[in-house]
Amino acid sequence: MRILITGANGQLGRALQEALPGDVVLPLSHDQLDITDRGALGQAIAGARPDAVIHAAAWTDTAACERDPARAQLVNGAAAGYVAEACRVNGAVMVQISSNEVFDGEKGAPYNEDDPVNPINEYGRSKLAGERAVAAALPEHQVVRTSWLYGPGRVSFPEKILERARADGRLRLVTDEIASPTWTVDLAKAIGTLVRRREFGIFHLANAGECSRKQWAEEVIRLAGVAVPVEETTQAAFNLPYRKPVVSTLANNRAAALGVTMRPWREALAEHMRVTGALAEEATRA
């Protein structure tokens, strides 16, 4: 299978390249392709002749999206539609990576694929625009919603938490933002399986279970053997110009029905920390 990956240098893009060894993988980074250039994008996909395009390129800086919603709509919204149009012209299927932040977090339970969407920040609105642009342009698409990505090859949440814990001797994280930490290695493998199923529509793929940002940090420092206090706080205390959904856990129903499942987030986190050398020896015996 010939698979083109946009955003190939991002944390998910790198994991996808590792997860697809038996395929002809065609990685395109931001330096190689401006996804907002409709003409160049069409030429790149036509020249590559892929069977599938995994569109992992995105603008994920929530604060920056809030400051510049027009650019967020272009990069995360319109550009996804450009990819879908090029896939339609060239006979390729498409996997669009989306976000738990298309939901408002008010349900109080994990979100199913067909639950009503209602994003509460500009990042979420732009990702929803991308979903809709893809659906309008290409019937043969898979929208994969996921949450709280981290993985090897990039400094992500676990590494940032350990750095702060060791530098400050204390941590302060919110309890009113709850979702599922998702290891890019697991997500990439699941996407690789899903794209071969040729079942189209919306799928939720995230490591199983849920936690708050505070609970995630507590598990990181426990696994690393770092003893620092973790204080509880709320989003409001940081006075940020945007809100995050309070509970935006994703229920992986449609993918699971196809046999594509994700392990618990704690297991995935422990393996990530083992792979990156951050797992304490005591934790390996726990």
Side-chain angles (χ1 to χ4, degrees), residues 9-250:
N9 283 350
Q11 59 178 351
L12 178 56
R14 295 181 186 199
L16 284 165
Q17 293 178 67
E18 293 289 329
L20 301 167
D23 298 290
V24 178
V25 178
L26 309 161
L28 288 176
S29 67
H30 173 71
D31 292 339
Q32 296 169 305
L33 176 66
D34 178 0
I35 60 170
T36 66
D37 185 332
R38 197 174 197 165
L41 186 60
Q43 290 176 3
I45 291 176
R49 298 179 294 105
D51 300 304
V53 174
I54 302 175
H55 183 45
W59 196 23
T60 59
D61 185 331
T62 306
C65 288
E66 206 70 22
R67 290 192 300 269
D68 193 348
R71 177 158 181 76
Q73 286 288 328
L74 174 61
V75 176
N76 293 335
Y82 302 161
V83 175
E85 290 170 2
C87 285
R88 185 186 68 237
V89 169
N90 292 280
V93 302
M94 177 180 175
V95 180
Q96 163 70 7
I97 307 303
S98 192
S99 169
N100 60 316
E101 293 193 40
V102 300
F103 296 111
D104 59 19
E106 299 298 323
K107 181 182 178 182
Y111 282 95
N112 302 315
E113 288 87 351
D114 58 356
D115 279 333
V117 290
N118 183 36
I120 60 174
N121 58 47
E122 294 298 338
Y123 170 69
R125 292 183 190 103
S126 69
K127 293 301 288 183
L128 178 58
E131 291 187 12
R132 289 173 170 169
V134 170
L138 180 69
E140 297 82 10
H141 71 272
Q142 297 171 331
V143 168
V144 171
R145 293 176 182 148
T146 190
S147 61
W148 291 7
L149 297 188
Y150 69 97
R154 282 290 185 92
V155 176
S156 49
F157 184 87
E159 291 74 38
K160 291 175 182 177
I161 286 298
L162 290 175
E163 181 180 356
R164 283 171 49 193
R166 289 166 175 146
D168 301 340
R170 57 189 284 273
L171 293 167
R172 182 168 171 255
L173 286 106
V174 301
T175 57
D176 61 347
E177 186 187 357
I178 296 168
S180 305
T182 302
W183 196 30
T184 54
V185 175
D186 285 355
L187 178 59
K189 291 175 182 176
I191 291 171
T193 302
L194 184 64
V195 73
R196 288 174 171 78
R197 293 286 194 267
R198 295 190 66 85
E199 294 281 345
F200 302 119
I202 297 172
F203 298 88
H204 290 174
L205 286 176
N207 281 117
E210 66 180 23
C211 63
S212 67
R213 291 280 183 179
K214 177 178 181 287
Q215 290 169 321
W216 189 9
E218 288 172 332
E219 184 67 359
V220 168
I221 63 172
R222 184 191 74 80
L223 290 169
V226 177
V228 299
V230 184
E231 299 173 13
E232 132 179 357
T233 188
T234 63
Q235 294 189 55
F238 289 97
N239 197 30
L240 296 171
Y242 57 83
R243 290 188 300 138
K244 293 280 194 175
V246 175
V247 181
S248 56
T249 312
L250 301 172

